Amino acid sequence: MRSFRKALSLQVKGRMAFVNITPQVEAALRESRIQEGLCLVNSMHITSSVFINDDEPGLHEDYARWLEQLAPYDPSPERYHHNRTGEDNGDAHHKRQVMGREVVVAVTGGNLDFGPWEQIFYGEFDGNRAKRVLIKIVGE
Amino acid sequence: MRSFRKALSLQVKGRMAFVNITPQVEAALRESRIQEGLCLVNSMHITSSVFINDDEPGLHEDYARWLEQLAPYDPSPERYHHNRTGEDNGDAHHKRQVMGREVVVAVTGGNLDFGPWEQIFYGEFDGNRAKRVLIKIVGE
Amino acid sequence: MRSFRKALSLQVKGRMAFVNITPQVEAALRESRIQEGLCLVNSMHITSSVFINDDEPGLHEDYARWLEQLAPYDPSPERYHHNRTGEDNGDAHHKRQVMGREVVVAVTGGNLDFGPWEQIFYGEFDGNRAKRVLIKIVGE
């Protein structure tokens, strides 16, 4: 069994944004030279997500509006007790749970084994800070 | 390390439905002859889910009603900008995020290492089309 | 390839609670002696979750309130048809879908490969019963 690790660094402008990181994951997979196995991609932070969906700007606008309805930004400590800590990002910890922390992708024949529209996104909900995404590939 | 891949084909009638695919995953595991490892099961599409819960029809009715409240079907491009593309499935991309893309199941002694009620479901949110589910098993 | 399995037993008081199980997962990883690979941690039950977020009590209060809004406890069979079965935990099956069943964590150099604030939680939504969490580690 072989394993390969790579951490991506990102700094997203604005509180909320979605970044297609598929090319970086594919580059890591090529670098790993692993042909068959599993590829884990996860946010190393707890106010952001890694998820798979469509690379379509209208959809990303929809996600942003919908997540804001489900867990509105509110820096006060009344809505989010978490903000009693001095943070203002209680909403981001909720948005991240809806969108998820990680994806696990099959590796087949040296490629990400994807359906026709699958793309990997980093979802930022508390931006303007340096963040990292972990890629861990195991296989042969 | 061994690896095994199988894609299931499904065509679900109606927009939303839940299909128990545990027997097909168990058959793939037997075919793989892998005894110890991990089994990834994921939708290859971005308007459907693979998730684990109870095989109870009342619960599935509840999920359908609840997901319709969280992200109602609406073909107009006002609620879902994604529908500006000519699609009418903006809602399905949201429902899928709530229910998730994939599950990873432990393989122990040649079996899916499940608690008493765990069953694997394919959740369709934009049906009447041919779709695929990927099974990838790695181990020994 | 090596594999290691351990089931944790938990009995949480009250309907809803969040328990930090990171120390138990780290102990299992040490016991496995696996240095590089993947660590799956999943609830073996369908009314509870395993997820990664912050160990901050205010945030856990926020999650409990928010999940109660998204899927309120209601023992009647009107809101949750699932409760026609005699159960009163329809809400718990929904809360679990929001928070997720499982996490997959990279293992690097014999440690859980975590960002600065990542901690693993068991999320109980139908407590006062004996439950189990499965840890499966594969690697070398």
Side-chain angles (χ1 to χ4, degrees):
Chain A
M1 201 206 74
R2 300 172 58 139
S3 70
F4 179 86
R5 177 197 196 269
K6 184 157 218 166
L8 307 178
S9 295
L10 295 103
Q11 181 148 352
V12 170
K13 284 195 181 152
R15 281 195 73 78
M16 184 154 39
F18 303 106
V19 181
N20 190 336
I21 57 171
T22 315
Q24 291 93 318
V25 178
E26 287 173 336
L29 178 54
R30 282 193 299 272
E31 194 181 340
S32 77
R33 304 178 70 177
I34 289 171
Q35 295 294 304
E36 297 289 324
L38 296 176
C39 175
L40 168 70
V41 188
N42 69 266
S43 173
M44 300 186 81
H45 300 266
I46 52 187
T47 52
S48 59
S49 291
V50 170
F51 67 94
I52 286 175
N53 216 296
D54 198 358
D55 196 357
E56 200 281 294
L59 179 65
H60 299 175
E61 293 169 23
D62 297 337
Y63 280 152
R65 245 178 305 116
W66 180 66
L67 291 166
E68 201 57 36
Q69 285 169 11
L70 290 176
Y73 172 67
D74 184 342
S76 82
E78 281 78 40
R79 187 192 295 259
Y80 300 112
H81 295 179
H82 179 59
N83 292 344
R84 290 177 187 161
T85 60
E87 294 279 359
D88 70 347
N89 62 8
D91 66 306
H93 290 271
H94 292 65
K95 290 171 170 124
R96 125 69 173 259
Q97 289 305 124
V98 176
M99 299 303 276
R101 167 186 179 263
E102 79 218 6
V103 296
V104 178
V105 182
V107 174
T108 303
N111 294 306
L112 299 174
D113 197 336
F114 267 162
W117 301 102
E118 291 190 282
Q119 295 282 299
I120 307 173
F121 290 90
Y122 174 71
E124 177 62 81
F125 309 117
D126 184 28
N128 303 311
R129 304 180 184 201
K131 302 276 184 99
R132 284 180 305 154
V133 166
L134 181 63
I135 303 169
K136 184 89 180 188
I137 310 171
V138 301
E140 274 192 349
Chain B
M1 200 206 74
R2 300 172 59 138
S3 70
F4 179 86
R5 178 198 196 267
K6 184 156 219 167
L8 306 178
S9 296
L10 295 102
Q11 179 147 354
V12 170
K13 285 194 180 154
R15 283 194 71 80
M16 184 155 39
F18 303 106
V19 181
N20 190 335
I21 57 171
T22 316
Q24 291 94 316
V25 178
E26 286 173 337
L29 179 54
R30 282 192 300 272
E31 194 181 340
S32 78
R33 304 178 71 177
I34 289 171
Q35 296 293 305
E36 296 290 323
L38 296 176
C39 175
L40 167 70
V41 189
N42 69 266
S43 173
M44 300 186 80
H45 301 265
I46 52 188
T47 53
S48 58
S49 291
V50 170
F51 66 95
I52 286 176
N53 216 295
D54 198 358
D55 196 357
E56 201 281 293
L59 179 64
H60 300 175
E61 293 168 24
D62 297 337
Y63 279 153
R65 246 180 303 116
W66 180 65
L67 291 167
E68 201 57 37
Q69 286 169 10
L70 290 176
Y73 172 66
D74 184 342
S76 81
E78 282 78 40
R79 188 193 294 260
Y80 300 112
H81 296 178
H82 179 59
N83 293 344
R84 290 177 187 160
T85 61
E87 295 279 359
D88 71 346
N89 62 8
D91 66 306
H93 290 270
H94 292 65
K95 290 171 171 121
R96 127 66 174 260
Q97 288 307 122
V98 176
M99 298 303 276
R101 167 186 179 261
E102 79 216 8
V103 296
V104 178
V105 182
V107 174
T108 304
N111 293 306
L112 299 175
D113 197 337
F114 267 161
W117 300 102
E118 290 189 282
Q119 295 282 298
I120 307 173
F121 289 90
Y122 174 72
E124 177 61 82
F125 308 117
D126 184 26
N128 303 311
R129 304 181 185 201
K131 302 275 184 98
R132 285 182 304 154
V133 166
L134 181 63
I135 303 168
K136 185 89 180 189
I137 310 171
V138 301
E140 277 192 348
Chain C
M1 201 205 75
R2 300 172 59 140
S3 71
F4 179 85
R5 177 197 196 269
K6 184 157 219 166
L8 307 178
S9 295
L10 295 103
Q11 181 148 351
V12 170
K13 284 194 181 153
R15 283 195 70 81
M16 185 155 37
F18 303 105
V19 181
N20 190 337
I21 58 172
T22 315
Q24 291 93 317
V25 178
E26 287 173 335
L29 179 54
R30 283 192 299 272
E31 195 182 338
S32 78
R33 304 179 70 177
I34 289 171
Q35 296 293 305
E36 296 290 324
L38 295 176
C39 175
L40 168 70
V41 188
N42 69 265
S43 173
M44 300 186 80
H45 301 265
I46 52 188
T47 53
S48 59
S49 291
V50 170
F51 67 93
I52 287 175
N53 216 296
D54 198 359
D55 196 358
E56 199 282 293
L59 179 65
H60 299 175
E61 294 168 22
D62 296 336
Y63 279 153
R65 245 180 304 115
W66 180 67
L67 291 166
E68 201 58 35
Q69 286 168 10
L70 290 176
Y73 173 66
D74 184 342
S76 81
E78 282 78 39
R79 187 191 294 258
Y80 300 112
H81 295 179
H82 179 59
N83 292 345
R84 290 178 187 160
T85 60
E87 295 279 358
D88 71 346
N89 62 8
D91 66 306
H93 291 271
H94 291 65
K95 290 171 170 124
R96 126 68 173 260
Q97 289 307 121
V98 177
M99 298 303 275
R101 167 187 179 261
E102 79 217 7
V103 295
V104 178
V105 183
V107 174
T108 303
N111 294 306
L112 299 175
D113 197 336
F114 268 161
W117 300 102
E118 291 190 282
Q119 294 282 297
I120 307 174
F121 290 90
Y122 174 72
E124 177 62 82
F125 308 117
D126 184 28
N128 304 311
R129 305 180 185 200
K131 302 275 183 97
R132 284 182 304 155
V133 166
L134 181 64
I135 303 168
K136 185 89 181 188
I137 311 170
V138 301
E140 275 193 348

